[in-house]
Amino acid sequence: MTRAISLTINGKHYEHDVEPRLLLIHYLREVAGLTGSHMGCETSLCGACTVELDGKAIKSCTMFAVQANGANIVTIEGLASPEGKLHPMQEAFWNEHALQCGFCTPGMIMVSKQIVERNPSPTDTEIREGLDGNICRCTGYQHIVNAVRTAAKAGA
Amino acid sequence: MIANAFEYTAPQSLDEALGLIAGGAKPLSGGMSLIPMMKLRLAAPEHLVDLARLKELNYIREENGELHIGAAVTHYEVESSPLLLGKCPLLAETAAHIGDIQVRNMGTLGGSVAHADPASDYPAALQALEAGIVLRSAGGARTVSAKDFFIDTFTTALEPGEIVSEIVVPVEPGLTGTSYQKCKHQASGFAVVGIAVRARRENGVVSLIRVGVTGLSGSSYRAENVEAALQGVEPTGEAIRAAAGLVAHSVDASADMQASSEYRKHLASVYTAKAIHAALSRSA
């Protein structure tokens, strides 16, 4: 049995009938067609599926789409301006070479945005604690920490 | 990983939710434990009732010398609440140890307490705070002490049809100090052991001490032998070390890949001493 949901994603209104067991990440990628958020571990450990739901970073692999009925979601696709100007956090990841393969990057950027929103001048320890729920298998994290610090200094 | 099919209801009121739960539906709160279990098909509820957005379960307020925290309050709201940071810093400090930012944004106090994972963080704090846990069903409400609520692994005093609806913590005078010290599982973030202490020093001796333990065994507990050893005693380093050494006495300590039962017991005594020192240093 399906249920009707209606929600806002990156400023755009969406309405669909979905099965209650459909995970939010599958909804975003396969129904809404927004493939920027990645499905990594499927077990709430890696954070690649992180999106913002009503201003809070959450793991969209550990939430059913029906729970997001009425919510306002921002995914990685919604960070840059319509003209293509990158969000300061995206800019910092680019400038600091904070990615190699890029698979974890959407989630890293979404959680980093939350870290800086809640703590505008985080220490490196606070940044690392904030990134606790996101795994990167390429970079060794140092450049990601540099990017978050740089973005915070730039007032991201 | 796809969960079994289920029916989903987002109720308009707590009464509606409790009515459905009385009929056999299962409560869903933040879903941080339930949804992974459903994806692995370790759990396959036929009907989920979503409590997360009910206003009647979303509040943190002070009333008659007690703090009342609704079950659907998230870990992030607990860790960042000015009221809790001011009047029950132990609960806020404990919440900040849970999982990661994303988990704390979704996971709820009531959900975690009801799930009663033996390695979860809150039980240690609730034991040390001598908190009350309000259980509500379509038939009414009752309050159970933390000590009586946590029975065993994933086993609590909850009866069928009941949910955890509120946590109640007495507000204490400023001279009480608290601390939560945790040895964190490096992969999962759960507590290999977690020790919460609430203590007061007056006239050079310990006038109050409560010690809550999580992670060590199948259920959280109050280490009353540690408390008795320090009550009325001058808290020298030697006295604290000796008392902390009793924390795992006659406890059937868990063993896993992360820590043998012998090592867990050793960790428990070390972290108990750390938590007692930290709590007393914060006791005015």
Side-chain angles (χ1 to χ4, degrees):
Chain A
M1 196 170 57
T2 61
R3 287 183 58 88
I5 59 168
S6 96
L7 63 167
T8 304
I9 309 172
N10 303 330
K12 194 176 151 197
H13 188 71
Y14 290 77
E15 281 185 26
H16 287 104
D17 290 327
V18 300
E19 260 199 281
R21 63 176 168 172
L22 181 71
L23 294 170
L24 182 58
I25 182 68
H26 290 141
Y27 174 77
L28 292 172
R29 291 177 58 85
E30 292 162 24
V31 182
L34 296 164
T35 53
S37 309
H38 291 162
M39 172 70 112
C41 69
E42 283 196 76
T43 53
S44 8
L45 294 172
C46 82
C49 64
T50 300
V51 301
E52 198 177 283
L53 179 124
D54 294 331
K56 296 189 293 187
I58 59 107
K59 292 181 179 177
S60 61
C61 80
T62 311
M63 182 172 187
F64 296 116
V66 286
Q67 293 173 273
N69 186 27
N72 185 12
I73 291 176
V74 179
T75 69
I76 190 71
E77 289 96 335
L79 289 194
S81 72
E83 301 76 43
K85 184 174 164 34
L86 294 181
H87 184 278
M89 190 60 75
Q90 292 173 303
E91 195 78 39
F93 267 64
W94 184 358
N95 290 333
E96 296 289 346
H97 310 288
L99 57 130
Q100 287 181 31
C101 85
F103 190 86
C104 73
T105 311
M108 284 287 179
I109 289 177
M110 295 311 291
V111 79
S112 298
K113 180 171 171 283
Q114 180 106 90
I115 293 170
V116 175
E117 279 165 0
R118 289 181 178 173
N119 181 358
S121 46
T123 63
D124 280 13
T125 305
E126 288 167 338
I127 293 170
R128 286 177 184 277
E129 281 169 5
L131 296 172
D132 197 21
N134 291 65
I135 293 173
C136 173
R137 296 283 85 147
C138 303
T139 64
Y141 300 97
Q142 189 55 52
H143 287 198
I144 296 174
V145 175
N146 292 346
V148 180
R149 192 192 317 111
T150 299
K153 281 185 185 149
Chain B
M1 286 183 286
I2 310 292
N4 262 343
F6 59 89
E7 193 183 334
Y8 171 88
T9 306
Q12 297 302 307
S13 69
L14 184 55
D15 279 347
E16 184 192 347
L18 293 172
L20 292 166
I21 290 164
K26 296 291 175 202
L28 168 67
S29 191
M32 295 295 95
S33 298
L34 180 58
I35 295 175
M37 286 169 66
M38 289 174 68
K39 285 160 69 179
L40 293 166
R41 304 213 177 187
L42 294 170
E46 287 175 11
H47 186 178
L48 285 186
V49 179
D50 194 343
L51 306 179
R53 281 191 259 179
L54 286 176
K55 286 213 165 38
E56 295 144 288
L57 297 175
N58 276 293
Y59 55 86
I60 304 175
R61 59 177 173 244
E62 184 177 1
E63 260 171 29
N64 309 321
E66 290 175 331
L67 294 164
H68 297 258
I69 309 154
V73 166
T74 64
H75 310 319
Y76 173 67
E77 289 163 337
V78 172
E79 83 178 277
S80 62
S81 154
L83 184 60
L84 294 180
L85 284 165
K87 302 207 166 170
C88 189
L90 178 59
L91 207 55
E93 180 186 357
T94 303
H97 278 270
I98 298 171
D100 49 53
I101 288 179
Q102 296 97 315
V103 166
R104 295 197 295 276
N105 277 341
M106 274 297 280
T108 67
L109 173 60
S112 174
V113 168
H115 185 54
D117 190 301
S120 61
D121 296 290
Y122 284 128
L126 298 181
Q127 297 274 9
L129 291 165
E130 298 174 276
I133 296 162
V134 181
L135 312 183
R136 194 172 290 276
S137 67
R142 63 189 176 115
T143 303
V144 177
S145 69
K147 200 174 157 185
D148 293 332
F149 178 79
F150 296 106
I151 294 171
D152 206 338
T153 304
F154 305 130
T155 307
T156 67
L158 278 165
E159 295 289 340
E162 280 185 324
I163 64 159
V164 171
S165 69
E166 183 181 279
I167 303 298
V168 188
V169 182
V171 178
E172 284 201 283
L175 54 153
T176 305
T178 56
S179 176
Y180 180 59
Q181 298 288 331
K182 170 186 183 180
C183 175
K184 179 179 156 179
H185 187 293
Q186 284 305 311
S188 72
F190 276 94
V192 177
V193 293
I195 310 286
V197 170
R198 168 172 149 246
R200 198 182 300 155
R201 187 202 323 238
E202 285 170 289
N203 305 320
V205 299
V206 176
S207 60
L208 170 103
I209 179 158
R210 296 289 180 269
V211 180
V213 183
T214 192
L216 182 61
S217 58
S219 175
S220 65
Y221 63 93
R222 274 258 311 276
E224 291 173 71
N225 49 357
V226 177
E227 298 168 7
L230 281 172
Q231 183 69 37
V233 169
E234 187 192 344
T236 61
E238 185 48 45
I240 290 172
R241 196 160 45 245
L246 303 171
V247 69
H249 184 67
S250 76
V251 170
D252 186 13
S254 310
D256 56 24
M257 212 162 60
Q258 190 78 8
S260 66
S261 84
E262 195 185 352
Y263 181 55
R264 247 195 187 78
K265 287 184 169 197
H266 171 70
L267 283 175
S269 66
V270 171
Y271 279 78
T272 300
K274 276 175 77 164
I276 295 170
H277 278 290
L280 285 172
S281 74
R282 294 170 185 171
S283 166

